[in-house]
Amino acid sequence: MSIVPITEEQRKQLIEDISYDDAQMQSKIQQVKEWMKKQPHLPQLPDEMSEKIIFTILLGTKMSTERTKYKLDTFYAMRHQFPEIFLNIDPTLKDVRDSVDKIRYFPLSEMTDDGNIVIVLSFNPDKSRKCTTKDIKALFKRTVALNDIWFQRGELFRGQYVLFDTSGLSASHLTELPWLFMRKFAAFGQEALPLRIKGIFIVNCPTFFDIILNVFKPILKDKMKKRIQIFHNYGDLYKYIPQRILPADYGGDGLTVEESSRAWQKTIESVRESVIEEGKRMTDESKRPSDSVNDCGQIFGVNGTFIKLNID
């Protein structure tokens, strides 16, 4: 599976949105590459891989070299918080494969007209496929693997919409799921990944969903909170996402969420070796320069400090 490349019209909108320029992009990639080579605590990546990762992060930071350096450092530093994910990330493991039909997670094959990727996160409403803590942690492995694929492909896109289908959540999940772990991973996504979330659209919302939102709101930036919308019918989605590119489950012409989830799992498994190798890459904090401190504790709401990196 793959995402259809950006069109010329979508590219024009991207240029207007972040002032994208090919020559400037190449110059900034080289600046960040040189900076990375001078950081003894960062993993040293093959040139082509580092260029694609830097490219994707620059897109997500609106071409800011300083924010890109920060996210790169945070991206590899925060991995220490999730050894059970990154050091056990093989996409062919049974727990990962078993989670695919319980929690469907994948991008649509086409971008929206304005050049945004659409990520679908759907909990299976079939009670016999109810998700558990094990499935949530397996989902995060798939999320990381999918991000690695995007980094390695270095594709142009403007931002992301998230379509969150909560029809499979039940009241019992309020006490059964690992909310603290999920908050930590949400913090990782917000701080370390080059995400430009343009909107989070929640459909099939249960009556108790406000309780779940309140769990995550303390770690969400105000801008992110304002982009959360609850839709009571699929027609509201079509204002942002063309109906034709949506899964059949939401009135679109695409594959069903179950078919897409399985197809993307095959894609992730096809790059198994590179996903496993990338998961091993973390900062070596024993080599971190004394003027560069990155303690992720405060982000996670526990004891610790998060001191701004000294970036040159």
Side-chain angles (χ1 to χ4, degrees):
M1 293 289 286
S2 61
I3 300 173
V4 175
I6 195 167
T7 65
E8 187 56 36
E9 183 58 36
Q10 291 166 336
R11 182 185 173 89
K12 289 178 182 177
Q13 294 189 55
L14 172 68
I15 290 171
E16 292 175 5
D17 191 22
I18 68 170
S19 301
Y20 177 85
D21 175 83
D22 285 330
Q24 186 183 52
M25 171 63 84
Q26 291 306 312
S27 174
K28 288 177 178 287
I29 287 174
Q30 292 308 311
Q31 288 179 44
V32 178
K33 272 183 66 178
E34 290 305 311
W35 170 82
M36 284 188 73
K37 290 177 181 178
K38 297 175 183 177
Q39 308 306 308
H41 64 293
L42 287 180
Q44 297 304 308
L45 311 177
D47 273 357
E48 184 178 359
M49 177 183 293
S50 66
E51 288 178 4
K52 288 181 178 179
I53 290 175
I54 294 167
F55 171 86
T56 305
I57 297 178
L58 280 167
L59 282 181
T61 60
K62 288 189 172 183
M63 305 286 284
S64 168
T65 53
E66 299 310 299
R67 287 174 60 204
T68 295
K69 293 172 185 177
Y70 168 83
K71 281 192 175 288
L72 270 168
D73 196 316
T74 307
F75 179 65
Y76 288 110
M78 290 177 76
R79 291 183 172 197
H80 292 286
Q81 300 284 340
F82 304 99
E84 67 269 56
I85 300 296
F86 287 98
L87 298 182
N88 193 26
I89 203 168
D90 185 343
T92 65
L93 291 173
K94 185 177 186 301
D95 63 327
V96 178
R97 286 176 167 171
D98 287 349
S99 73
V100 171
D101 287 340
K102 295 180 181 180
I103 312 174
R104 289 77 68 94
Y105 177 85
F106 58 91
L108 298 186
S109 58
E110 289 186 52
M111 299 182 196
T112 61
D113 294 338
D114 53 356
N116 288 304
I117 291 173
V118 180
I119 306 296
V120 177
L121 174 59
S122 167
F123 290 83
N124 196 325
D126 183 343
K127 291 183 178 180
S128 67
R129 297 181 180 180
K130 179 181 175 183
C131 72
T132 64
T133 291
K134 181 179 69 173
D135 298 313
I136 291 291
K137 293 186 176 182
L139 166 67
F140 293 152
K141 295 179 185 181
R142 290 158 49 203
T143 302
V144 169
L146 191 54
N147 279 320
D148 286 345
I149 290 174
W150 284 334
F151 281 154
Q152 292 172 24
R153 291 181 179 176
E155 296 175 337
L156 272 174
F157 59 92
R158 189 178 180 191
Q160 297 97 356
Y161 289 129
V162 178
L163 170 54
F164 185 15
D165 185 345
T166 58
S167 57
L169 286 177
S170 65
S172 62
H173 280 129
L174 295 177
T175 57
E176 294 173 355
L177 294 183
W179 298 106
L180 178 58
F181 185 90
M182 292 162 69
R183 278 183 54 165
K184 285 175 63 175
F185 203 85
F188 170 76
Q190 189 168 235
E191 293 294 328
L193 296 180
L195 304 177
R196 296 191 66 215
I197 304 295
K198 300 288 190 176
I200 300 174
F201 309 136
I202 301 167
V203 297
N204 299 319
C205 195
T207 56
F208 55 84
F209 194 73
D210 280 348
I211 299 174
I212 296 175
L213 273 182
N214 289 335
V215 171
F216 291 96
K217 278 185 176 179
I219 64 167
L220 295 179
K221 297 175 181 177
D222 289 339
K223 181 169 63 175
M224 192 71 73
K225 293 175 187 175
K226 293 175 182 176
R227 293 180 178 174
I228 297 174
Q229 297 186 64
I230 296 175
F231 293 154
H232 298 291
N233 63 77
Y234 297 149
D236 291 331
L237 283 174
Y238 308 155
K239 300 172 186 176
Y240 300 90
I241 306 169
Q243 182 176 359
R244 63 178 177 76
I245 74 172
L246 281 164
D249 311 62
Y250 308 114
D253 297 330
L255 299 174
T256 66
V257 292
E258 187 166 343
E259 290 169 336
S260 292
S261 186
R262 289 177 176 175
W264 272 101
Q265 175 62 18
K266 289 181 180 179
T267 299
I268 292 171
E269 291 186 14
S270 72
V271 292
R272 172 182 178 271
E273 290 185 7
S274 63
V275 167
I276 292 173
E277 190 61 30
E278 173 60 21
K280 298 175 184 176
R281 295 190 173 103
M282 301 182 184
T283 55
D284 183 343
E285 293 301 326
S286 69
K287 296 180 180 179
R288 181 182 290 277
S290 59
D291 60 352
S292 174
V293 181
N294 195 333
D295 182 343
C296 303
Q298 187 171 322
I299 292 178
F300 295 138
V302 297
N303 291 333
T305 58
F306 191 81
I307 302 173
K308 187 176 181 180
L309 298 174
N310 182 17
I311 296 173
D312 54 34

